[in-house]
Amino acid sequence: MKKFLFGALGVTLLIAIGMGGCSRTMGGSNQSGLLQIAQSRGLSPEDAAHAVKTFVPPGGRDEYLLFASGGHSGQVHVIGVPSMRLLKTVAVFTPEPWQGYGYGADWSEEALGSNGNSNGDGEGHESENGHSKDALRWGDAHHPALSETDGKYDGRWLYINDRAHGRIGMVDLADFRAKQVMQVPNLMTSHGGIFATPDTRYVHISSKVPALKGWDGHKGQKVTVDDHLNRFADIYRGYSTFVRVDQKTGRMSLKDSFQIELPPYTQDLADSGKGPSDGYAFINSYNVEMAGGGIAQGKPPIEVGASQFDFDYLHIINWKKAEEVLAAGKFTMLNGIRVISLDTAAAEGLLFLAPEPRSPHGVDVAPKGDYITVSGKLDPHATVYGFDRILKAIESKNFEGKDRYGVPILKFDAVVAGKVELGAGPLHTQYDNQGNAYTSLYLESAVVKWTLGEPYHSAADAFKVVDKVSIHYNIGHLATAQGDTMDPQGKYLIAMNKWSIDRHTNVGPLHPQNFQLIDISGPKMELLADMPIGFGEPHYAQLVKADTIKAHEVYEPGVSPASMQKSPDAITTEKDARIVRRNGVVEVWMNVVRSHFTPDIIPARVGDKVIVHLNNTEQTPDATHGFAVPTKNVMVSLDPGETTTVEFVVDKPGSFSFYCTEFCSALHLEMQGWLIVEPK
Ligand code: CUA
């Protein structure tokens, strides 16, 4: 049992609650009651203060929303801050039955990518039940990117990459549902970014491990182990991809997208320029040695081969200039996308390299777009590049040479504005509104706070460590409130910890991961709360003011989530419900309200294709119904106002009881109907 001083607890609590002595809302007797509760629960004064700082009362709202990737669960998790309560899980790369995402050969099946290689054009390779045999059923959701306007989150859409494949998904924040998953051509895997440019003209995604030139995982390509070991530099390439976003729908279009071919170094994290650096993109790389493994062939393991040189290369890309080069026709089409070759990129001044200490990881642009922080696993320093210095070095051709592909390499000393010794294993950096940076230290299990240079801090105070806090344990990414935008808030920091070891009740050998909420509003960082993450391996998160998100309460009547427009198959009342039978097809316009389906009997014959246009014609918030058909892999969630179409084939005779999966009313159990399949 922890011991604590009653008086100290009282003072701490009063300070935390923001009052002294008597209060209008809490009398003296309640105060002592509060102290007794804390004491009886064994809380220290600090514990009690942290509880008060993070507590959101029943019915209350959080000030911020955290959008966290779910790793290889393929999902995005939406968490309230400071309460650290999970509000929603949005499936992107993985089917998810609650929302019916990827079940029922409906629009979500299409969004998920029915052939596993979809660009959203609907040309899937469907088998009889609507599911493709080679459909991808998982993805590794890594880096969420909220859309931006003027360099600030605008609450319209969220994009996220699939680390395992070269895919990018789009979540519409009007209804918190994934609408599109696009396979980006020529990428086998992805990492870099993803980020939105300051006005979301593009979202950026780049390869991680380079792919065979002209990669198309579905066609197959010829290669030998000898090619891999001895011709790596020739046969592989990376790509920086600018995916064009439709400003009305948020959908991504390949037609207006482009790629810049990159050397087959392993491109890692990336960030967007902003303010003075708007129009530029920055991508880290490691393995400029181009090690390809081959332990049995007498070569070093990849992690050794990739760490031979002292420096890797920061890639500096001028994408605004790339648009001019495209307009001049200096590109080729490769697997359906415009590609600017490495030669053209070097010759036209679109791509420059700057040395960065070996095996870097994070590259993070400061809020005013002036500094770029790079830090990496094997170097205890953050290396801070000045964008003005980069521009000057490019203009004066201050190069130390070119790489083997002819890309100019800027002089290290010319572009670095400062170095800060942070601690062991620095990875990622975010910022506050006071000119401070916060970097995760993986090996040290800590977050370190340090100062940027001018105009934030004087030269004497610049690039100095000012605070450090321990986390539990092995932190990867971190997120400060709006800390990767031009509108950072300070206030909160979420440490995204890979290990939790001894922090939570034992639930078996697979431990939850651990998010930790840290108060960064004062001079000293203060750890407030743990949130066990038992539903994936989150990588990156963005923390946005909750009132930025303006999601619909209900859909307008008849709206299809796929198009966000009124569906041509929408009906408005029960009277319009009907069944139309034609050769081999039963087509149903169904009305769905508390507490019945109309029609409630669907007659069919063996071999029929059944098409059901489901209409939840209610407008009451939260009056969601479901439509589930036993043995058919059909499960659809129907939110108020929604119209969705499902299709399936009935291949055996029998009576099948479809039903509503949401406890929508007192007569929810009665909300069912019959699919009666007669023999042919
Ligand atoms: Cu509708 Cu239960």
Side-chain angles (χ1 to χ4, degrees), residues 530-570:
D530 279 18
M531 176 190 183
I533 301 291
F535 38 77
E537 206 241 313
H539 281 265
Y540 183 47
Q542 290 179 319
L543 185 56
V544 58
K545 279 204 83 173
D547 60 14
T548 307
I549 311 293
K550 302 203 164 32
H552 298 336
E553 194 81 49
V554 298
Y555 293 101
E556 283 181 30
V559 163
S560 155
S563 63
M564 294 305 263
Q565 308 283 324
K566 185 157 182 168
S567 165
D569 295 307

Side-chain angles (χ1 to χ4, degrees), residues 14 20 94 156 180 255 261 344 353 387 391 406 473 512 583 595 625 642:
L14 292 180
T94 320
R156 292 181 291 169
Q180 187 186 16
K255 188 170 73 67
E261 185 186 15
T344 302
L353 303 174
F387 184 70
L391 273 193
Y473 304 90
N583 199 19
S595 301
H625 302 285
E642 176 176 346

